[in-house]
Amino acid sequence: MDLSRRTLLAGSVAVAAAPHAASAAPIERFPIWPGSPPGGEGLSVRDTTVRRSANGPADDIAWTHVATPMLNVVPAAQPNGGAILYVPGGGYVRVAVGREGSGISRAFAARGYTVFELLYRLPHDRWAAGPDVSLQDAQRAMRLIRSGAEKWRIDPARVAAMGFSAGGHLTARLASRSALKTYEPVDDADAHSARPTVAGLFFPVITLTEPAAHGDSKRELLGGDVTPERIARFSAENRLMSDMPPTFVACAADDPVVSPANSLAMFAALQAAKIPSELHIFEKGGHGLPLREAGRDHPWPGLFERFARNHGL
């Protein structure tokens, strides 16, 4: 299977088809940690990218090693006060995000939301936090967004998170483990909450339990330590906290990369925990949901926005 074209899909392939991509606004881009990220003592990780397609756009890249976690800020066309943390996928093998703003981010910016795209670190680079290293970056990103609310003209009470593929796994963990202490505070931004107002999980990796587990994600997260305890701990459907935010889940029934059983497991767990939640399984879409289909806007962005606005975004 071609990982660069399928497993790593995180929505950025929709850039060319996105109705708002042509009106690209300048992107602010900055590191999320002041100085070196936590847990890197003795490491020599370097930021490394690869082209996802030999003939694709220059910004259609994925990061195979991340030394400097970053946020891309895609500004809203007409800010409505809401913000979204965008968490791309890549099977924890890579992070499929460019430097110029994805089609999905541009589409939500056109709806009035300031979108923050997260480039997060990967467990295989041997950071001290292990499988929680990506969660460190997601928590830090949420806190930074809220700390800069005045600068970006957003309401700190209206910050959603939406994740795609393995980014859906990370977003689910961010939503259910926002209060988990994964690092020591480094500045005033860390006084802010890391809990999203609402979460969106799209064709997400969720469980590490067979037979539904996504092989790359499971291998990258757990390595050789695949005890039942570790599998349970890092399966995102387990031990959902009572303060988990309302959560929207969507995938395609014909997804050949991440089984729709992941979405079903997450929705069942959300319902059992009495978390406000909504599930959509589209007939077609493969490992990805397009912005446009057959010349028309696909319904998923509007469905997510409706759900998110109903729950505080």
Side-chain angles (χ1 to χ4, degrees), residues 1 18 26 35 48 54 67 74 76 163 174 176 196 201 223 225 235-236 267 281 312:
M1 183 174 294
T48 307
V74 183
L174 172 66
S176 66
L201 313 178
D225 188 358
S235 289
F267 183 68
I281 300 182

Side-chain angles (χ1 to χ4, degrees), residues 55-81:
N55 300 317
D59 197 47
D60 186 17
I61 61 175
W63 303 73
T64 54
H65 302 281
V66 179
T68 310
M70 305 283 286
L71 280 174
N72 298 335
V73 187
V74 183
Q78 296 181 354
N80 63 21

Side-chain angles (χ1 to χ4, degrees), residues 23-276:
S23 57
I27 299 297
E28 176 187 359
R29 194 163 187 269
F30 62 91
I32 66 174
W33 300 98
S36 300
E41 296 77 11
L43 299 180
S44 56
V45 183
R46 292 187 177 184
D47 294 310
T48 307
T49 65
V50 295
R51 295 285 294 271
R52 297 177 64 204
S53 170
N55 300 317
D59 197 47
D60 186 17
I61 61 175
W63 303 73
T64 54
H65 302 281
V66 179
T68 310
M70 305 283 286
L71 280 174
N72 298 335
V73 187
V74 183
Q78 296 181 354
N80 63 21
I84 299 173
L85 176 65
Y86 171 104
V87 185
Y92 290 108
V93 178
R94 315 177 181 194
V95 184
V97 65
R99 301 180 178 94
E100 300 173 5
S102 68
I104 288 174
S105 295
R106 298 283 186 185
F108 277 92
R111 291 172 178 260
Y113 302 97
T114 301
V115 183
F116 298 79
E117 297 180 334
L118 177 62
L119 171 63
Y120 52 89
R121 289 171 294 158
L122 297 164
H124 64 225
D125 284 324
R126 302 186 180 279
W127 300 90
D132 280 330
V133 68
S134 307
L135 182 58
Q136 285 183 334
D137 292 342
Q139 290 179 338
R140 172 70 179 172
M142 286 294 299
R143 291 165 176 149
L144 277 179
I145 292 167
R146 289 194 163 109
S147 72
E150 183 175 354
K151 170 186 175 181
W152 291 308
R153 294 189 293 164
I154 62 175
D155 181 346
R158 296 175 56 204
V159 184
M162 61 180 187
F164 301 83
S165 192
H169 179 272
L170 179 52
T171 300
R173 294 200 69 225
L174 172 66
S176 66
R177 300 291 182 267
S178 60
L180 179 67
K181 187 174 183 179
T182 62
Y183 65 91
E184 294 296 328
V186 297
D187 56 26
D188 291 344
D190 287 324
H192 292 269
S193 172
R195 178 186 181 273
T197 304
V198 63
L201 313 178
F202 299 94
F203 41 101
V205 173
I206 294 296
T207 190
L208 302 185
T209 302
E210 301 298 340
H214 177 244
D216 286 337
S217 298
K218 182 175 182 177
R219 182 188 66 246
E220 293 296 318
L221 283 168
L222 302 184
D225 188 358
V226 289
T227 62
E229 293 75 20
R230 294 259 294 176
I231 291 172
R233 176 183 171 190
F234 292 102
S235 289
E237 77 275 22
N238 291 335
R239 294 175 52 231
L240 301 186
M241 303 302 173
S242 61
D243 66 345
M244 183 166 176
T247 301
F248 179 98
V249 186
C251 69
D254 65 349
D255 190 334
V257 177
V258 176
S259 169
N262 284 262
S263 293
L264 291 168
M266 190 68 198
F267 183 68
L270 290 161
Q271 290 287 293
K274 303 189 184 309
I275 307 298

